[in-house]
Each structure stands twice: as C-alpha cells, then as structure tokens.
Amino acid sequence: MKIHLTAKTEAESIRAARNNPCRDLVGQAEILALAEVDEPIQISALCAALSVSERTLRKAFHRIHGLPPCRHLRMLRLKQARRALIATDGHLSTVTEIATCFGFAELGRFSVEYRKVFGESPSQTLHRASPATARVSHTADHQDRADPYR
C-alpha cells in the first residue's frame, strides 16, 4: 500500500511540475532573454513582453531558481560566453568581442563576475583554449603530411 501511495505522490509531483505556471513563466523569460543575447538584459522589457509585473517575474524566479531574474539570466549568458571563449580560436576572437556578443556592455564588470564564477579571467580562458586549438590543428596537419592517402 505504501509503494502505491509513493508512486501516486511522485506522479502527482511530476504532473504539478509540468503544470507549474512559475516554471512556464521562467522558461518563457529565459527563452526571450537568450534570443537576443547581444542586447543587455532589461527586466522591464522582458516583463512587458510576457505581460507580467516585475514582482510576478521576480517571485517566479525565486521559486524556481532561488535567484532574481537578472542574476539568473546573467549567469546563463556568462556560461554561454565561457563556452564561446573555450570554443574559439584566439586569433579570430577577443574577450571584448565575445563579451559584447553576449550583451555584456561593461567589460570590467564582466571580467570581475567571470572571475568570481569560474576562478579565472576571461582572457585566461581564451588563452588556455587557444593552445589546445593550435595543438589539435598542428596534429591534424602533421597527420595529413604523414599519410599521403588521407
């Protein structure tokens, strides 16, 4: 009987999570905020697009993530910027280009926040990723020369 009751409770909680208006609102806000990553996050514009008050949006983000919307959305963009820094070839992109591409207009704040979150500066991430890229391409070039049938 307990197993059946537990399964029912889990099924109800899954159903409730799917029908959670806060989760839906936060999901829509994340989609909108990440759709135009090159623009700074403006909560008032986001609220207008979602037809909700700032208080409603703030409460929803606190319930789902425990953070205010601006902080959570900035963290999502910061993670995207880190992925871009790691994936880029250092000769083709700069920290400034990547930061502004993800809507970070104040580069000093971007750098400070990046270091707090990831434990290194954005330029360190970029330089650390660049040699790996160079090694991979150098190894590929060497293999191409070593195997003429490639």
Side-chain angles (χ1 to χ4, degrees):
M1 187 73 115
K2 264 188 172 176
I3 295 171
H4 179 65
L5 181 60
T6 304
K8 183 177 180 183
T9 306
E10 287 176 20
E12 286 174 353
S13 62
I14 290 170
R15 198 174 321 112
R18 278 191 223 134
N19 296 328
N20 186 339
C22 287
R23 188 168 304 283
D24 292 342
L25 180 60
V26 168
Q28 290 172 0
E30 289 173 347
I31 290 168
L32 287 173
L34 296 176
E36 296 181 20
V37 291
D38 57 334
E39 295 295 320
I41 299 168
Q42 294 184 351
I43 299 302
S44 58
L46 198 55
C47 290
L50 295 168
S51 301
V52 297
S53 69
E54 287 189 34
R55 183 176 181 189
T56 299
L57 188 65
R58 192 172 44 253
K59 281 184 168 184
F61 268 87
H62 274 287
R63 282 190 186 132
I64 302 303
H65 296 295
L67 295 170
C70 199
R71 179 75 182 139
H72 177 72
L73 297 172
R74 216 172 34 250
M75 288 301 300
L76 290 179
R77 286 187 176 188
L78 203 58
K79 288 175 185 176
Q80 287 182 327
R82 180 174 175 81
R83 278 188 232 120
L85 286 166
I86 290 170
T88 190
D89 179 358
H91 300 290
L92 301 177
S93 294
T94 64
V95 171
T96 300
E97 290 170 341
I98 290 172
T100 54
C101 180
F102 287 97
F104 294 98
E106 297 180 40
L107 300 177
R109 281 190 178 182
F110 168 75
S111 183
V112 168
E113 191 167 6
Y114 188 96
R115 183 183 294 276
K116 280 183 189 176
V117 173
F118 300 113
E120 65 183 5
S121 70
S123 60
Q124 288 173 319
T125 303
L126 183 65
H127 293 300
R128 189 171 41 83
S130 297
T133 305
R135 273 197 308 271
V136 169
S137 64
H138 180 276
T139 304
D141 290 343
H142 179 70
Q143 287 175 346
D144 287 345
R145 280 184 265 134
D147 186 3
Y149 299 105
R150 239 178 182 212

